[in-house]
Amino acid sequence: MSAVLIRGGTVVNADRAFRADVLCQDGRILAVGEGLSAPAGATVVDAGGQYVMPGGIDPHTHMQLPFMGTVTMDDFFTGTAAGLAGGTTSIIDFVIPDPQENILDAYKKWRGWAEKSASDYSFHVAITWWSEQVRKDMGTLVNDEGVNSFKHFMAYKNAIMCDDETLVNSFKRALELGAMPTVHAENGELVYLLQKTVSEMGIKGPEGHPLSRPPMVEAEAANRAIAIADVLNVPIYVVHVSCVESAEAIARARARGQRVYGEVLAGHLVLDDSVYRHPDFATAAAHVMSPPFRPKGNSEFLWRGLQSGNLHTTATDHCTFCAAQKAAGKDDFSKIPNGCGGVEERLAVIWDEGVNTGRLTPSEFVAVTSANTAKLFNIYPQKGSVSVGADADLVVWDPAGTKTLSVKTQHSKGDFNIFEGRTVRGIPSHTVSQGELVYVQGDLRAVQGKGRYIKRPAFGPDFGAVQQRAQAHMPTAVAR
Ligand code: URP
Ligand code: ZN
Ligand code: ZN
């Protein structure tokens, strides 16, 4: 493999920033230091005036997802290529078995679909039903396949929603295995009821979507999942936290000493629910995702969560459906396929709204765009760190570069851009994946099938360490 020397930049890790060159060879970082010389044949990148950061890790994407009667526009190649164009060098996607489907069969199916990935990828596996076989197969996934996180959809009744029995059994099993349970926190029964109520009020358009999924519906599920995790003494990761109420639930639990982690989507950080009142159906429907965009004020609270350390990661939930697919819900908002894009724009949007505003330092930016995800899913410092021996997945970041985000210039196959027209300052000039330059100043060189499946080892015995605090619920001994 060829070598790449990134010269003259400022390396930014989650713990510190410092002037250094970075030499990549054979897919790894070979050296980090001042005045490195280029080996024969190396490509030299001039990073003067720029930052050299770990490539972004998006812990929440859905490429080629069969969902709500259709399949997302982006497959694993187009979606990961779009990510590389935006500086994201790894994704963690989801295997989502149908209820009663064997979870190992589903896992193998997704592994096959993902072989065309241009960047590295990994999988959370959703637990959508429960049986002894599921319990056993979770063990195989953790011990043999490098899956260390399981997803639980608390919404999507009559589809992939899992009930409390499944949640409890799966969380308990995850703890035994040293795997992180994660939840999509929305009360699916309430969503089901409110969808009917809103429809009976005569509201059929996309404006009905947020009305059927108010913040308290999310907060109830977040509180319930956190409480179950607390009783079982297992850590928990809440995906796409969108509102004050569920962010507060996480902050409260953390203040009690519970290991609860929260993820925020780039979209939830910058958009609000006015998008659903757009007079054009296609535009409003293009924003239909769950949880929905929230009233103004929620975004600022999410930023505070990232700043304070009560929320930890940023993602996109990249899940692209085109206008023709969204039209399935023309007369019934509950049938609009849920999902929006963003894998290409996440880093730039978070830099522009986070670092340029002073909300985040560059190191905090690295923490919430890669390092924290790598730590929480046990692939640090292989990913999420510019250090010797780490994977050479890097983004060279031009803090002065600007770009107006648009569907016209995006690489995703989606036909909409939720950040349309937003001019950002701070963009990738180069992306390095596995030590190769895959994006060079607008020239995307993504290679289909180049991405590798990344195994994530189980957490060690400390993962389920009994927490010494007032709210210890599991009976340990009976006092007589
Ligand atoms: O609306 C969304 N978020 N679609 C993808 C599935 C999910 O809930 O994550
Ligand atoms: Zn979700
Ligand atoms: Zn999702």
Side-chain angles (χ1 to χ4, degrees), residues 16 62 92 157 175 192 197-198 265 319-320 322 345 380 418 451:
R16 68 188 183 115
H62 301 280
I92 313 182
K157 180 177 158 75
L175 175 63
Y192 188 74
T197 310
V198 171
L265 305 185
C319 185
T320 47
C322 68
E345 294 83 15
Y380 187 86
I418 57 170

Side-chain angles (χ1 to χ4, degrees), residues 368-444:
V368 302
T369 55
S370 65
N372 288 353
T373 289
K375 290 177 191 173
L376 285 170
F377 295 106
N378 214 14
I379 46 172
Y380 187 86
Q382 177 190 356
K383 305 282 189 194
S385 165
V386 183
S387 55
V388 173
D391 285 357
D393 283 0
L394 302 164
V395 60
V396 182
W397 196 259
D398 178 3
T402 62
K403 182 174 180 180
T404 300
L405 305 176
S406 173
V407 68
K408 295 195 192 92
T409 48
Q410 73 187 19
H411 293 85
S412 160
K413 271 177 75 186
D415 64 357
F416 196 85
N417 190 314
I418 57 170
F419 306 110
E420 185 70 38
R422 180 177 289 269
T423 299
V424 289
R425 182 164 48 83
I427 53 172
S429 68
H430 299 73
T431 307
V432 176
S433 170
Q434 298 183 51
E436 309 268 351
L437 281 162
V438 290
Y439 177 80
V440 179
Q441 286 161 330
D443 175 20
L444 180 60

Side-chain angles (χ1 to χ4, degrees), residues 103-104 127 129-144 147-150 152 164-181 228-229 232-235 458-459 463-464 474:
I103 66 172
L104 289 182
I127 301 302
W129 62 295
W130 192 253
S131 72
E132 260 316 291
Q133 189 64 41
V134 172
R135 202 187 80 82
K136 184 167 164 283
D137 292 344
M138 285 173 75
T140 304
L141 287 169
V142 173
N143 296 320
D144 300 347
V147 171
N148 71 12
S149 51
F150 292 98
H152 306 82
D164 281 2
E165 182 185 358
T166 302
L167 275 184
V168 168
N169 282 317
S170 177
F171 281 24
K172 184 166 175 292
R173 179 66 171 146
L175 175 63
E176 281 168 17
L177 294 166
M180 179 75 85
I228 293 170
L232 298 178
N233 223 336
V234 62
F459 293 91
F463 182 65
M474 285 303 269

Side-chain angles (χ1 to χ4, degrees), residues 24-45:
C24 310
Q25 194 155 8
D26 298 329
R28 298 270 172 88
I29 298 175
L30 193 68
V32 180
E34 292 202 70
L36 298 183
S37 47
T43 306
V44 178
V45 174

Side-chain angles (χ1 to χ4, degrees), residues 60 62 67 151 153 156 184 240 289-290 317 319 338-339:
H60 189 153
H62 301 280
F67 190 52
K151 172 77 173 284
F153 289 93
Y156 306 123
H184 168 133
H240 50 41
M289 64 158 299
S290 297
D317 203 355
C319 185
N338 284 207

Side-chain angles (χ1 to χ4, degrees), residues 57-60 91-94 122-125 146-151 178-183 235-240 261-263 312-315 370-383 454-460 463:
I57 307 173
D58 191 332
H60 189 153
I91 60 167
I92 313 182
D93 208 275
F94 294 82
S122 195
F123 284 114
H124 312 280
V125 175
V147 171
N148 71 12
S149 51
F150 292 98
K151 172 77 173 284
M180 179 75 85
T182 79
V183 288
I236 183 171
Y237 177 95
V238 184
V239 310
H240 50 41
Y261 307 99
E263 168 195 282
H312 306 87
T313 64
T314 59
S370 65
N372 288 353
T373 289
K375 290 177 191 173
L376 285 170
F377 295 106
N378 214 14
I379 46 172
Y380 187 86
Q382 177 190 356
K383 305 282 189 194
I454 301 298
K455 286 191 169 187
R456 295 177 289 121
F459 293 91
F463 182 65

